[in-house]
Amino acid sequence: MTKTIEINVASRAPSLDDRPLERRIGLIILATDHTTEVDFQRMVASAQIGVYVTRIPYANPVTPENLMKMQPSLTAGAALILPDEPLDVVMYSCTSASVVIGDDRIEKAVQAAKPGVPVVTPTAAAVKGLKALGAKRISVLTPYTVETSRPMAGYFARLGFEIDRFTCLGLTDDREMARISPDEVAAFAEEAMAPESDALFISCTAVRAAEVVPRIEKAIGKPVVSSNLATAWACLRICGEAALRPEFGALMTRPYPEG
């Protein structure tokens, strides 16, 4: 005969913290993304800062048309990150889609689910990062085709940057972009940098560039901004984390520009 086990209710209810962690960063990433979560766990997450992720549908190839198709999923994706709880910042992790959809439209879509939350895109973060580094002339490296790269060139040119050299690798699948080895990223980055440029921007949140930024900076003698480095820096600064992290590159030693 099975013995009945008595289960007792504690004598009091537990006291509750306001939050499990002091700060909350929400990430909206592509269903196919291999890289963003890894980079944010390495550069951003801590005992004080939690990183909370949702994924939205995405279908390759990487074309302006397919990138635009993500826009309707942004609000629902944001709503799934700790529903009905406030976040300190939400980051949408797709650089090329941020160009095609537009930073303002992305912000509006996210804030429809999370009112008032600061919204970070890789493009807007890269612009702030380049300005924080004092860069006016830039070189750009993307993994995309010419078709997908052209709107990005226009984006930076419209915002006042002089583009000395723009190099693309001609890939159409973001899963292949994630499989470019860090050594290859570093090698292509050195080739992509024009000597007259103030800084190099490496686009795409799928590309494993952030981990080799310090190596590239040492090789070219100029600061480097990658998509994931820029968004990690922006999210940390918005959360009030001002610690200097030179081991991640020059950008992580800079304050976040106002406005």
Side-chain angles (χ1 to χ4, degrees):
M1 185 175 180
T2 303
K3 180 182 178 180
T4 300
I5 299 173
E6 184 178 358
I7 299 176
N8 299 306
V9 178
S11 61
R12 62 180 180 82
S15 62
L16 303 178
D17 291 336
D18 290 336
R19 294 182 173 192
L21 294 177
E22 183 179 342
R23 297 292 184 181
R24 300 167 173 163
I25 295 174
L27 303 185
I28 302 174
I29 69 176
L30 280 57
T32 50
D33 188 319
H34 286 267
T35 309
T36 301
E37 285 175 284
V38 177
D39 277 347
F40 265 65
Q41 287 299 321
R42 181 173 58 87
M43 295 189 290
V44 177
S46 69
Q48 292 76 42
I49 299 176
V51 177
Y52 305 93
V53 182
T54 189
R55 288 177 177 258
I56 60 173
Y58 178 69
N60 281 293
V62 178
T63 63
E65 293 75 21
N66 281 347
L67 294 166
M68 182 64 77
K69 290 177 182 177
M70 281 188 280
Q71 183 177 355
S73 302
L74 292 173
T75 301
L80 289 173
I81 308 173
L82 303 180
D84 303 319
E85 296 193 59
L87 301 172
D88 294 289
V89 59
V90 172
M91 192 275 284
Y92 170 54
S93 192
C94 186
T95 320
S96 51
S98 296
V99 170
V100 174
I101 297 170
D103 297 320
D104 291 344
R105 289 179 180 176
I106 291 167
E107 179 180 70
K108 183 177 180 180
V110 171
Q111 290 179 342
K114 298 289 186 181
V117 69
V119 177
V120 169
T121 65
T123 43
V127 168
K128 283 187 175 288
L130 290 165
K131 288 182 177 180
L133 291 163
K136 296 180 180 179
R137 304 180 69 96
I138 62 172
S139 293
V140 180
L141 173 64
T142 84
Y144 321 125
T145 61
V146 171
E147 177 193 23
T148 302
S149 294
R150 197 171 300 284
M152 186 163 292
Y155 175 91
F156 284 102
R158 285 193 303 275
L159 291 174
F161 292 96
E162 184 75 24
I163 300 175
D164 296 312
R165 185 179 296 168
F166 198 114
T167 305
C168 66
L169 302 182
L171 299 180
T172 60
D173 190 316
D174 71 322
R175 296 164 298 183
E176 292 182 352
M177 297 173 193
R179 298 209 304 271
I180 305 169
S181 75
D183 287 344
E184 278 283 79
V185 173
F188 279 111
E190 288 187 47
E191 294 178 10
M193 181 66 180
E196 65 269 30
S197 290
D198 301 316
L200 172 67
F201 173 57
I202 305 174
S203 181
C204 189
T205 56
V207 172
R208 291 177 288 163
E211 64 186 272
V212 289
V213 161
R215 187 205 307 182
I216 300 167
E217 289 182 333
K218 185 177 181 180
I220 66 176
K222 299 286 181 69
V224 176
V225 175
S226 77
S227 291
N228 288 352
L229 176 61
T231 55
W233 167 77
C235 288
L236 284 169
R237 295 296 185 260
I238 290 170
C239 283
E241 178 52 74
L244 306 184
R245 305 287 296 277
E247 68 272 22
F248 293 140
L251 182 58
M252 280 290 194
T253 67
R254 298 297 195 274
Y256 195 64
E258 297 294 332

